[in-house]
Amino acid sequence: MQYTKTPYQQKQMIDANGAVVGSLPESVSDELLLKSYRTMVMIRTFDQRVVALQRTGQMGTYASCLGQEAIGTGIGLALKKDDVFLPYYRDQATQYLRDIPLHQQMQYWGGNEWANHFSGIAQQDFPNCVPIATQVTHAAGVASAMKIRGEKRCSLVTCGEGATSRGDFYEAMNLVGVWQLPMVMVVNNNQWAISVPRNIQTGAETIAQKAVAAGIEGFQVDGNDVCAVYDAVRYAVNKAHSGKGGTLIEAVSYRLGDHTTADDATRYRSHEEVNEAWKREPIKRLQTYLHASDLWDEDQEQALQEHCKQEVEQAVKTYLSQPAQPVADLFDYLFEETPAHLALQKQRALEKMARLGGK
Amino acid sequence: MQYTKTPYQQKQMIDANGAVVGSLPESVSDELLLKSYRTMVMIRTFDQRVVALQRTGQMGTYASCLGQEAIGTGIGLALKKDDVFLPYYRDQATQYLRDIPLHQQMQYWGGNEWANHFSGIAQQDFPNCVPIATQVTHAAGVASAMKIRGEKRCSLVTCGEGATSRGDFYEAMNLVGVWQLPMVMVVNNNQWAISVPRNIQTGAETIAQKAVAAGIEGFQVDGNDVCAVYDAVRYAVNKAHSGKGGTLIEAVSYRLGDHTTADDATRYRSHEEVNEAWKREPIKRLQTYLHASDLWDEDQEQALQEHCKQEVEQAVKTYLSQPAQPVADLFDYLFEETPAHLALQKQRALEKMARLGGK
Amino acid sequence: MGMHEKIADLNQKHKPVDTKTPHVVTMIEAINMALHRAMDADPNVVVLGEDVATNGGVFRATVGLKDRFGHKRVMDTPLAETLIAGISVGMAAQQLRPVAEIQFMGFIYATMEHIVSHAARLRNRTRGRLTCPMVLRAPYGGGIHAPEHHSESTEALFAHIPGIRVVIPSSPTRAYGLLLSAIEDPDPVIFLEPKRIYRMVKQEIYDDGVGLPLDTCYTLRQGEHITLISWGAMVHETLQAADKLHQQGVSAEVIDVATISPLDIDTLVASVQKTGRCVIIQEAARHCGVAAEICAAIQEQAFHSLQAPIARVTGFDTPMPYLQRENVYMNSASDIVDAAIHTLEVA
Amino acid sequence: MGMHEKIADLNQKHKPVDTKTPHVVTMIEAINMALHRAMDADPNVVVLGEDVATNGGVFRATVGLKDRFGHKRVMDTPLAETLIAGISVGMAAQQLRPVAEIQFMGFIYATMEHIVSHAARLRNRTRGRLTCPMVLRAPYGGGIHAPEHHSESTEALFAHIPGIRVVIPSSPTRAYGLLLSAIEDPDPVIFLEPKRIYRMVKQEIYDDGVGLPLDTCYTLRQGEHITLISWGAMVHETLQAADKLHQQGVSAEVIDVATISPLDIDTLVASVQKTGRCVIIQEAARHCGVAAEICAAIQEQAFHSLQAPIARVTGFDTPMPYLQRENVYMNSASDIVDAAIHTLEVA
Ligand SMILES: Cc1ncc(C[n+]2csc(CCOP(=O)(O)OP(=O)(O)O)c2C)c(N)n1
Ligand SMILES: Cc1ncc(C[n+]2csc(CCOP(=O)(O)OP(=O)(O)O)c2C)c(N)n1
Ligand SMILES: [Mg+2]
Ligand SMILES: [Mg+2]
């Protein structure tokens, strides 16, 4: 067998103008569309509020998901509760749909390890992963455990297109291929890895084609089209559950914000490019479609905006009232039983805090 | 663009029976065929003698290239003197053609760092690389240097098919694609990585298709057909020299021997498989072709066998008479100038050797 | 520390284990026995690595496991160390107990990101929600005339990392007991096997599934005049040195550190408080090795007992030479004796 | 140690450099200045890493270089640390002088195989035929309230590896001079930049291309009663501690180790022989850190001068906590003063 290039068809259901391409599949119900929309609006509200918190010194460095809400939302809606989600760090929407409260997500970015203490359906999910691409390998391990035990579950991992340059990405994908692991890889191709544009990240025409290296299925979807993302992930999850192996999904989107609050993207990319990208962003198009389909009206929009604002403000309040964790916690979770040397160091830290009048 | 599977055509010129497939290209002259043949016979003679040395305790662990002589030979004949060769550890033939004397190759396997002190056209070549796949990344660095300086040279790196599972392989190949590096990657797919067969190494149908992940050209050649290997490498080297980027060549062959002298392959593979593979080995088919084309006769064969034996025996003699390196050498090549602590340690080592009556 | 309790959980058929008959085994056989025992006792234990399944490992540590426990629990991985470490983290987070083999310690560096940034932190990062009960086994150390990169002893790199245990056996008995405990341990363990002594001595072992504690040093020989501290293969030269010293009228205490991180410093300090003199022997390069930590910690806590500077017998700050000169690198019992005598001569 | 000689080799146009006017700069500016100077002086110097070209580095260390020297010499790489280290080895073997940036030390672990197994060994392995004059720069250390993995100080891992230098500046002057020497050095250098003090103080620097020696410690303050040894950002707390001690009538000698491997032990030993007491301060986790080596080496060589155990002020054996508790991890000048007083109180 060899592989030859053929013209590519990116999967899309609702285009940038809110028009349906072909027809929506059965899996995409009105209810789903409305839930998608509500989720995306909530997450955008959250996102902008957290950026504001950071600007006023009440938050650590934060990675905004502005413009990429459809990816996290599509994933969150398609993933099943027994599956395991391994995020990178722009997965606010998925985490929200995995029932991780907004204030807990704030607590993470605010710098408190207790934020990673998920419960409910996220109980086995991984926390955000900072060392790029390493989570892809963990996901292969999680999927291996599922396969070894013969469970009908899968792991779903996300990463950026920059992450696809790292060895971890390929080593893990290769394993997915050869062990036929129940695993879904979703690449958020937001065109930038900090200041490095997609075209100097790899010579491959698409990220999706990297799947060929592992002998697995790979395809591109419009990552600003929540329906397309949802449908693609649903397909890949079902495939994984039925023992047919892994899938690489390239969700093509755009990072409308800075890389993080520590970054200033005007240094390396043009306003024009960003303005162009705004025309394809995910929320507006779905709103247009919902309006056009009489699924949504101005009152509902008003109510939703108000609701989201309130929820987010409530989360901010909870977040800001959460105390820093007890100092002892820094020492007691390295090992199941705290060894002697750490017990000693803990004691010293507590004494020091006491001396300094700290809590 | 997307990639679709199409039936594969492995490049081959002289088949397992010694028959020409299609016709030989101009680049493959009679002279070249004869030189190929002579080289392969020399290397096989060398290889078997080194294994014997190891069995009698006169040699360290050795990785035989039995059955894979065509790959190293094709590379060595196609590579230009200003190019840089980065081998893995089954490249005895290429190293021989890069003028690294046989006794020096023995010295390497015999455990003496001076064996890596190449001169002549191998002056800038890398020594054998033990940590699997890391040399592929070095080759990308070498090619980057050439590209930065605008030189008409390339790097050529080899590895096994097992090595293609490692992150280094993909990270480097990705760079070759995106920086359009003058680099040739030749994978010796000898079907086994110690005890692990090709089909549990990767789910990809071919190693060649991994090139798709990097957006570079990749193809398979019959690695037992020295003409096909030569022609493929020649093509890739020319392409690199003319600024058209990198190539992945999968040379399909078979490891007829144990993995190394420390291995016993009968533990994990069948005699039948090995016997089948012997029918496709590279030397016999070329001999058949040369005889059939009246380029070779029995007398020449006798003379060649005799010549190779003598050369190899001469090399053995030289190797066995080489002293171990001076102890001081262990300390004097870590840094250009030996720092104080190493000078002290050297002194202690020399004193110890003196006490023990060692040289 | 025993694994008996777990046998009840076992959801697959297993041969009854004879715990009464002693086996006279080498260290590599003891490791193989412990792996069998652990897999038998707990269905969550899985073994993975390069050539560990069909081939039984290049040193035969995993021989027989695949036939006994099947390919789902004994897995040949693709050739990728980062992957091996990384999937172990993922498996462990799913409550498996992966025992991964890195074929030689010289190829362990590609695992470091997963060990340092993930295995060592998963429990802490999630405040105990996800844990990482994995073992990363690797043959380590020199002295077998192997090719380049096959003789490394860079245990210090792992010893510096908070959140993992680093365990090194030096006899068949300790290999069996420490490996069982490492596998049973709820946290990640780097288990380094001194390959030079894989087949050096045999000991009588009962395959009783009883682990040895990971939080203690092992005093192998009591003594009054000087404390000799070592771990791994060098324990053997250290014991020989103690014999030679004994012939010279010197009574040396010999301690096998066994778990180099977290360290049982109390045992070491108590010994030096008794003897007043100390030599630490490591095979690894000198600069920033584990001997430095032990030395620093002892002088902190036993300063007033010390009658002489603590001496270190270590490898050179060079790579292990290619095999023709390997012998120059390795320290012998005489080198240890010399250092001890020198230390004893300090007034 | 100057780079003047090399300017003659220069085969590309460059602005004449004003070496007479003093620049008042922060450490990050000094690093940027040194990079400009080195690239100006030697066309073989190339800069590579993530976001180093167009963006000028996430800390602005490489700002201006791409515009000045072009994209062939200042390269944004794909996001792959193993690659960055590995291609640097390949480039260096071809006589370039790559200065590679790892964006944060927390992402340096993926480079370890290339550093340990190749960069550190290329000269030795080929008996001087191929060499590896590369510099691997990385911002390191905590104290800037960054996300997880952005505050690591694992310099001990590199310090243990034979064949590389590990250099850590602690002021703009030393950053400028040490970086120039690191780039000019014919062997691999790990250059760790304490990011907490990137912009903390300014110093007057002449952009004269003169490097500072890599084989010496820097005595920043002479003293009689106690020796305080540190490196990196903690040098600042150490100097503050010396001030406080001075107010209490204690004269403390302060030494910035600067190059932690190979170590200039002589300067340290001489100081402790004079003062008889010593505190070593490191930001990193305690167990098997560089302080342990310094402690071990000093007690070996200055045993009879020591009037008190050598004390270590170190980080805890935990990862750096998420930012809300970072302050608990970091030691302050008072912590150092306490340790010094404690040491001085030993009879
Ligand atoms: C191993 C590693 N290297 C470098 C970094 C620093 N870093 C953080 S995000 C980032 C870019 C990631 O780009 P991409 O994968 O495209 O994801 P995006 O942020 O665009 O969503 C880099 C270089 C890191 N976190 N981990
Ligand atoms: C990083 C690394 N891991 C493991 C090894 C041990 N090892 C040596 S050769 C080998 C198999 C290599 O297989 P392949 O790449 O197919 O090359 P071949 O030996 O078959 O030519 C292994 C696992 C090594 N040398 N380096
Ligand atoms: Mg991106
Ligand atoms: Mg192979």
Side-chain angles (χ1 to χ4, degrees):
Chain A
M1 286 294 157
Q2 73 187 356
Y3 285 77
T4 14
K5 280 187 225 184
T6 55
Y8 198 86
Q9 198 51 50
Q10 200 181 87
K11 289 177 209 278
Q12 198 185 47
M13 292 179 185
I14 298 181
D15 71 15
N17 302 317
V20 171
V21 182
S23 63
L24 295 182
E26 252 177 69
S27 67
V28 177
S29 63
D30 291 351
E31 196 190 348
L32 185 99
L33 289 169
L34 289 167
K35 184 153 191 197
S36 299
Y37 184 69
R38 290 199 175 96
T39 302
M40 293 198 294
V41 172
M42 177 67 86
I43 290 305
R44 186 162 295 179
T45 311
F46 168 85
D47 192 80
Q48 297 186 326
R49 188 67 180 90
V50 178
V51 171
L53 281 172
Q54 196 282 334
R55 300 286 182 232
T56 54
Q58 294 165 293
M59 181 54 70
T61 305
Y62 174 69
S64 158
C65 62
L66 187 68
Q68 299 141 84
E69 298 88 349
I71 300 174
T73 301
I75 293 170
L77 292 173
L79 206 56
K80 296 289 186 291
K81 95 178 180 348
D82 285 342
D83 297 331
V84 172
F85 178 54
L86 298 98
Y88 75 125
Y89 48 74
R90 289 194 208 280
D91 301 282
Q92 291 89 336
T94 313
Q95 291 193 325
Y96 174 68
L97 292 168
R98 303 285 288 171
D99 292 344
I100 299 170
L102 294 178
H103 66 81
Q104 194 169 341
Q105 295 199 41
M106 290 176 183
Q107 191 183 33
Y108 171 78
W109 297 102
N112 184 325
E113 284 85 345
W114 277 108
N116 293 328
H117 198 265
F118 310 154
S119 55
I121 66 167
Q123 172 68 42
Q124 299 192 34
D125 288 357
F126 271 53
N128 287 355
C129 188
V130 176
I132 302 286
T134 53
Q135 73 278 13
V136 186
T137 314
H138 304 156
V142 168
S144 298
M146 293 165 172
K147 174 119 186 174
I148 289 168
R149 292 193 170 128
E151 297 165 347
K152 207 179 148 167
R153 304 161 65 207
C154 71
S155 68
L156 188 147
V157 67
T158 58
C159 66
E161 89 292 346
T164 68
S165 292
R166 280 196 106 224
D168 268 276
F169 176 84
Y170 299 98
E171 291 191 1
M173 187 167 64
N174 186 56
L175 194 75
V176 171
V178 69
W179 284 7
Q180 285 276 89
L181 295 179
M183 172 160 152
V184 182
M185 303 165 70
V186 181
V187 176
N188 173 347
N189 175 0
N190 62 10
Q191 311 305 329
W192 292 90
I194 309 185
S195 72
V196 178
R198 155 69 185 80
N199 67 317
I200 70 170
Q201 193 63 246
T202 181
E205 296 92 334
T206 67
I207 301 294
Q209 77 195 47
K210 291 181 186 278
V212 170
I216 69 169
E217 181 183 7
F219 53 80
Q220 258 186 355
V221 299
D222 179 348
N224 293 335
D225 174 1
V226 68
C227 304
V229 174
Y230 167 78
D231 194 61
V233 175
R234 204 182 77 102
Y235 161 79
V237 166
N238 284 340
K239 179 175 132 189
H241 287 175
S242 51
K244 300 208 180 100
T247 311
L248 172 67
I249 299 172
E250 175 187 1
V252 182
S253 183
Y254 192 86
R255 196 193 78 206
L256 290 171
D258 293 331
H259 169 67
T260 65
T261 51
D263 177 50
D264 173 5
T266 61
R267 280 188 189 132
Y268 51 78
R269 65 180 188 186
S270 69
H271 283 296
E272 293 72 50
E273 179 182 312
V274 180
N275 289 343
E276 271 309 304
W278 268 105
K279 298 184 187 157
R280 297 187 304 274
E281 69 92 20
I283 297 186
K284 185 71 199 157
R285 71 168 74 180
L286 186 54
Q287 195 192 41
T288 307
Y289 173 81
L290 291 176
H291 277 305
S293 319
D294 283 337
L295 289 166
W296 198 246
D297 62 27
E298 262 316 306
D299 290 351
Q300 283 169 303
E301 179 69 24
Q302 285 295 335
L304 176 63
Q305 294 290 350
E306 196 47 43
H307 169 73
C308 291
K309 232 176 255 163
Q310 276 175 16
E311 289 280 303
V312 168
E313 284 317 313
Q314 189 52 50
V316 171
K317 244 186 233 153
T318 308
Y319 159 65
L320 290 176
S321 68
Q322 279 165 325
Q325 62 187 313
V327 170
D329 291 7
L330 307 188
F331 300 89
D332 284 344
Y333 294 91
L334 270 286
F335 299 95
E336 187 175 71
E337 245 178 86
T338 305
H341 74 292
L342 280 179
L344 257 174
Q345 295 183 5
K346 173 167 72 174
Q347 198 184 314
R348 233 175 299 148
L350 290 171
E351 283 163 14
K352 181 173 152 185
M353 289 307 282
R355 265 203 317 280
L356 298 177
K359 341 138 244 180
Chain B
M1 285 293 156
Q2 72 187 358
Y3 285 77
T4 10
K5 280 187 225 185
T6 54
Y8 198 85
Q9 198 51 47
Q10 198 181 89
K11 291 178 206 276
Q12 198 185 46
M13 292 177 184
I14 297 182
D15 71 14
N17 302 317
V20 171
V21 182
S23 64
L24 294 182
E26 253 179 66
S27 67
V28 178
S29 63
D30 290 352
E31 196 191 345
L32 185 97
L33 289 168
L34 288 167
K35 184 152 191 200
S36 298
Y37 185 69
R38 290 199 175 96
T39 303
M40 294 199 292
V41 171
M42 178 67 87
I43 290 305
R44 187 162 293 179
T45 311
F46 167 85
D47 192 79
Q48 297 186 326
R49 187 68 179 88
V50 178
V51 171
L53 281 171
Q54 197 282 335
R55 301 282 182 235
T56 54
Q58 293 164 295
M59 180 57 68
T61 304
Y62 174 70
S64 158
C65 63
L66 186 69
Q68 301 141 83
E69 298 89 350
I71 299 174
T73 301
I75 292 170
L77 291 172
L79 205 57
K80 297 288 185 289
K81 97 178 177 352
D82 285 342
D83 298 330
V84 172
F85 179 54
L86 297 99
Y88 75 123
Y89 48 74
R90 290 193 208 280
D91 302 282
Q92 292 88 336
T94 312
Q95 292 192 324
Y96 173 70
L97 292 168
R98 302 285 289 172
D99 291 345
I100 300 170
L102 295 178
H103 65 80
Q104 194 168 341
Q105 295 200 42
M106 290 177 182
Q107 191 183 32
Y108 170 78
W109 298 102
N112 185 325
E113 285 86 344
W114 278 108
N116 294 329
H117 198 264
F118 308 155
S119 55
I121 64 166
Q123 172 70 40
Q124 300 191 33
D125 288 357
F126 271 52
N128 287 355
C129 188
V130 175
I132 301 288
T134 53
Q135 72 279 11
V136 186
T137 314
H138 303 155
V142 168
S144 298
M146 293 164 172
K147 173 120 188 173
I148 289 167
R149 292 192 169 127
E151 296 165 347
K152 207 179 146 165
R153 303 161 65 207
C154 71
S155 68
L156 188 148
V157 66
T158 58
C159 66
E161 88 292 345
T164 69
S165 292
R166 279 197 107 224
D168 267 277
F169 176 84
Y170 299 99
E171 291 190 1
M173 187 166 66
N174 186 55
L175 194 76
V176 171
V178 71
W179 285 6
Q180 285 276 87
L181 295 179
M183 171 158 152
V184 182
M185 303 165 70
V186 181
V187 176
N188 173 348
N189 175 0
N190 62 11
Q191 312 304 329
W192 291 90
I194 308 187
S195 72
V196 177
R198 156 67 185 81
N199 67 317
I200 71 171
Q201 194 64 244
T202 181
E205 296 92 334
T206 67
I207 300 295
Q209 77 195 47
K210 291 180 187 280
V212 170
I216 68 169
E217 181 183 11
F219 53 80
Q220 258 186 354
V221 300
D222 180 348
N224 292 335
D225 174 1
V226 70
C227 304
V229 174
Y230 168 78
D231 193 61
V233 175
R234 204 181 78 102
Y235 161 79
V237 167
N238 284 341
K239 178 176 132 188
H241 286 176
S242 50
K244 301 209 180 100
T247 312
L248 173 65
I249 300 172
E250 175 186 0
V252 182
S253 182
Y254 193 87
R255 196 193 80 206
L256 291 171
D258 292 330
H259 169 68
T260 65
T261 51
D263 176 51
D264 172 6
T266 60
R267 279 188 190 133
Y268 52 78
R269 65 181 190 186
S270 69
H271 283 297
E272 292 72 49
E273 179 182 312
V274 180
N275 288 343
E276 270 311 301
W278 268 105
K279 297 184 188 155
R280 299 187 302 274
E281 68 91 21
I283 297 186
K284 184 71 199 159
R285 70 169 74 181
L286 185 54
Q287 193 192 43
T288 306
Y289 172 80
L290 292 175
H291 277 303
S293 318
D294 283 337
L295 290 165
W296 198 246
D297 62 26
E298 261 316 305
D299 289 352
Q300 283 170 300
E301 180 68 24
Q302 284 295 334
L304 175 64
Q305 293 289 351
E306 194 49 41
H307 168 72
C308 292
K309 231 175 257 162
Q310 276 176 16
E311 288 280 302
V312 169
E313 284 317 313
Q314 189 53 49
V316 171
K317 243 187 233 152
T318 308
Y319 159 66
L320 290 176
S321 68
Q322 280 165 324
Q325 62 187 314
V327 170
D329 291 6
L330 308 188
F331 300 89
D332 284 345
Y333 293 92
L334 271 289
F335 299 94
E336 188 176 71
E337 246 177 86
T338 305
H341 74 291
L342 280 178
L344 257 174
Q345 294 184 6
K346 173 166 72 175
Q347 197 183 315
R348 231 174 299 145
L350 290 170
E351 284 163 13
K352 181 172 152 185
M353 289 308 281
R355 266 203 316 279
L356 298 175
K359 340 135 248 182
Chain C
M1 274 284 169
M3 299 190 85
H4 301 103
E5 315 82 57
K6 289 254 173 97
I7 295 182
D9 307 345
L10 192 64
N11 64 13
Q12 76 181 83
K13 262 204 322 225
H14 65 282
K15 289 196 244 165
V17 183
D18 172 4
T19 63
K20 301 287 160 56
T21 319
H23 301 262
V24 181
V25 295
T26 60
M27 178 186 284
I28 190 75
E29 288 163 346
I31 287 166
N32 184 257
M33 203 183 281
L35 289 169
H36 274 89
R37 200 67 173 79
M39 293 196 77
D40 229 356
D42 183 351
N44 289 316
V45 176
V46 297
V47 163
L48 65 154
E50 296 158 9
D51 306 291
V52 298
T54 307
N55 195 35
V58 294
F59 285 104
R60 332 296 303 135
T62 54
V63 97
L65 293 175
K66 188 188 165 198
D67 288 345
R68 176 82 180 282
F69 300 103
H71 70 276
K72 289 210 161 178
R73 291 182 63 197
V74 186
M75 296 161 267
D76 279 328
T77 65
L79 203 173
E81 285 76 13
T82 306
L83 180 81
I84 291 170
I87 60 173
S88 295
V89 171
M91 289 175 175
Q94 283 287 306
Q95 295 94 46
L96 289 182
R97 290 179 174 267
V99 182
E101 176 176 301
I102 298 297
Q103 206 159 74
F104 287 88
M105 191 179 197
F107 311 128
I108 211 167
Y109 307 115
T111 72
M112 290 217 60
E113 182 164 42
H114 282 286
I115 300 302
V116 175
S117 300
H118 295 298
R121 291 170 175 227
L122 196 57
R123 176 191 290 278
N124 184 61
R125 176 184 293 150
T126 62
R127 287 292 172 260
R129 180 174 60 88
L130 299 177
T131 62
C132 196
M134 66 180 271
V135 177
L136 196 72
R137 294 178 43 245
Y140 98 111
I144 65 160
H145 282 359
E148 196 183 354
H149 303 285
H150 289 68
S151 303
E152 320 303 295
S153 41
T154 38
E155 67 272 18
L157 306 193
F158 292 96
H160 184 52
I161 304 305
I164 53 176
R165 292 182 210 282
V166 184
V167 178
I168 304 176
S170 69
S171 73
T173 308
R174 282 190 294 287
Y176 179 81
L178 294 172
L179 182 52
L180 281 178
S181 295
I183 297 172
E184 215 186 334
D185 195 84
D187 292 299
V189 177
I190 310 293
F191 194 84
L192 301 174
E193 302 166 3
K195 67 173 101 72
R196 176 161 65 90
I197 58 171
Y198 262 161
R199 297 183 169 81
M200 200 165 86
V201 287
K202 293 197 175 206
Q203 284 180 328
E204 208 176 83
I205 293 184
Y206 291 85
D207 188 11
D208 55 7
V210 178
L212 284 169
L214 302 179
D215 58 0
T216 183
C217 297
Y218 292 82
T219 303
L220 304 184
R221 186 177 172 136
Q222 307 274 351
E224 298 299 320
H225 303 137
I226 190 165
T227 303
L228 306 180
I229 298 170
S230 190
W231 55 93
M234 291 308 291
V235 167
H236 287 261
E237 280 69 33
T238 304
L239 285 167
Q240 284 168 16
D243 277 344
K244 291 192 187 199
L245 286 166
H246 179 73
Q247 287 159 22
Q248 301 180 39
V250 175
S251 155
E253 184 140 311
V254 176
I255 306 180
D256 174 10
V257 179
T259 296
I260 59 170
S261 181
L263 187 64
D264 166 22
I265 190 68
D266 294 349
T267 299
L268 303 175
V269 166
S271 175
V272 177
Q273 276 168 341
K274 179 176 66 174
T275 62
R277 299 174 198 262
C278 178
V279 178
I280 309 169
I281 303 99
Q282 80 184 9
E283 184 177 314
R286 185 181 196 80
H287 193 68
C288 291
V290 174
E293 173 63 39
I294 294 176
C295 180
I298 291 177
Q299 75 83 36
E300 275 155 19
Q301 298 182 45
F303 184 74
H304 294 288
S305 312
L306 280 175
Q307 294 166 46
I310 301 167
R312 288 183 285 168
V313 174
T314 71
F316 299 120
D317 287 311
T318 70
M320 177 66 76
Y322 283 13
L323 67 90
Q324 287 178 8
R325 285 303 191 188
E326 194 177 32
N327 61 324
V328 180
Y329 190 92
M330 304 295 290
N331 280 300
S332 65
S334 320
D335 297 313
I336 301 167
V337 169
D338 289 352
I341 297 291
H342 193 79
T343 299
L344 287 157
E345 280 166 356
V346 175
Chain D
M1 273 285 170
M3 297 190 88
H4 301 105
E5 314 83 58
K6 288 252 173 100
I7 295 183
D9 306 346
L10 193 62
N11 63 14
Q12 74 180 83
K13 263 206 321 231
H14 66 284
K15 291 195 241 162
V17 183
D18 172 4
T19 63
K20 300 286 161 57
T21 319
H23 302 262
V24 180
V25 295
T26 60
M27 178 185 282
I28 190 76
E29 289 162 348
I31 288 166
N32 184 259
M33 202 186 278
L35 289 170
H36 274 91
R37 200 67 172 76
M39 293 195 76
D40 229 356
D42 183 351
N44 289 317
V45 176
V46 297
V47 164
L48 66 152
E50 295 158 8
D51 307 290
V52 298
T54 306
N55 194 36
V58 294
F59 286 102
R60 333 293 307 134
T62 54
V63 98
L65 294 175
K66 188 189 165 195
D67 288 346
R68 176 83 180 280
F69 301 103
H71 70 274
K72 288 210 162 179
R73 290 182 64 197
V74 186
M75 296 161 267
D76 279 328
T77 64
L79 204 174
E81 285 75 14
T82 306
L83 180 80
I84 292 170
I87 61 173
S88 295
V89 171
M91 289 175 174
Q94 282 289 304
Q95 293 95 45
L96 289 182
R97 289 178 176 269
V99 182
E101 176 176 301
I102 298 298
Q103 207 160 73
F104 287 88
M105 191 180 198
F107 311 127
I108 210 167
Y109 307 115
T111 72
M112 290 217 59
E113 182 165 42
H114 282 286
I115 300 302
V116 174
S117 300
H118 295 299
R121 291 171 176 226
L122 196 58
R123 177 191 289 278
N124 184 61
R125 177 184 292 150
T126 61
R127 287 291 171 262
R129 179 174 62 86
L130 300 177
T131 62
C132 195
M134 67 181 270
V135 176
L136 196 72
R137 294 178 44 243
Y140 98 111
I144 64 160
H145 282 359
E148 198 184 353
H149 303 287
H150 289 69
S151 304
E152 318 303 297
S153 41
T154 37
E155 67 271 20
L157 306 193
F158 292 96
H160 184 51
I161 304 305
I164 54 177
R165 291 183 211 281
V166 184
V167 178
I168 304 177
S170 69
S171 74
T173 309
R174 283 190 294 286
Y176 179 81
L178 294 172
L179 182 53
L180 281 178
S181 295
I183 297 171
E184 215 186 334
D185 196 85
D187 291 299
V189 177
I190 310 293
F191 193 84
L192 300 175
E193 302 167 2
K195 68 173 99 73
R196 177 161 66 88
I197 59 171
Y198 261 160
R199 297 182 168 85
M200 199 164 87
V201 288
K202 293 197 173 206
Q203 283 180 328
E204 209 177 81
I205 293 184
Y206 293 85
D207 189 12
D208 55 6
V210 178
L212 284 170
L214 301 179
D215 57 359
T216 181
C217 297
Y218 291 82
T219 303
L220 304 184
R221 184 177 175 134
Q222 306 273 351
E224 297 301 319
H225 303 137
I226 190 165
T227 302
L228 306 180
I229 299 171
S230 191
W231 56 94
M234 291 308 293
V235 166
H236 287 260
E237 280 67 34
T238 305
L239 285 167
Q240 285 167 15
D243 277 345
K244 294 194 185 199
L245 286 167
H246 179 72
Q247 287 158 21
Q248 301 180 39
V250 175
S251 154
E253 183 140 313
V254 176
I255 306 180
D256 175 10
V257 179
T259 296
I260 59 171
S261 181
L263 186 66
D264 166 23
I265 190 67
D266 293 350
T267 299
L268 303 176
V269 166
S271 175
V272 178
Q273 276 167 341
K274 178 176 69 173
T275 62
R277 297 175 199 263
C278 177
V279 178
I280 310 168
I281 303 98
Q282 79 183 9
E283 184 176 316
R286 185 181 197 79
H287 195 66
C288 291
V290 174
E293 174 61 41
I294 294 176
C295 180
I298 291 177
Q299 74 82 35
E300 275 156 18
Q301 297 183 43
F303 184 75
H304 294 288
S305 312
L306 279 175
Q307 293 165 47
I310 302 167
R312 288 183 285 169
V313 174
T314 70
F316 300 119
D317 287 312
T318 71
M320 176 68 76
Y322 282 13
L323 67 91
Q324 288 178 8
R325 285 303 191 188
E326 195 178 34
N327 62 326
V328 180
Y329 190 92
M330 304 293 292
N331 280 299
S332 65
S334 320
D335 296 315
I336 300 168
V337 169
D338 289 352
I341 297 291
H342 194 79
T343 300
L344 287 157
E345 281 168 354
V346 175

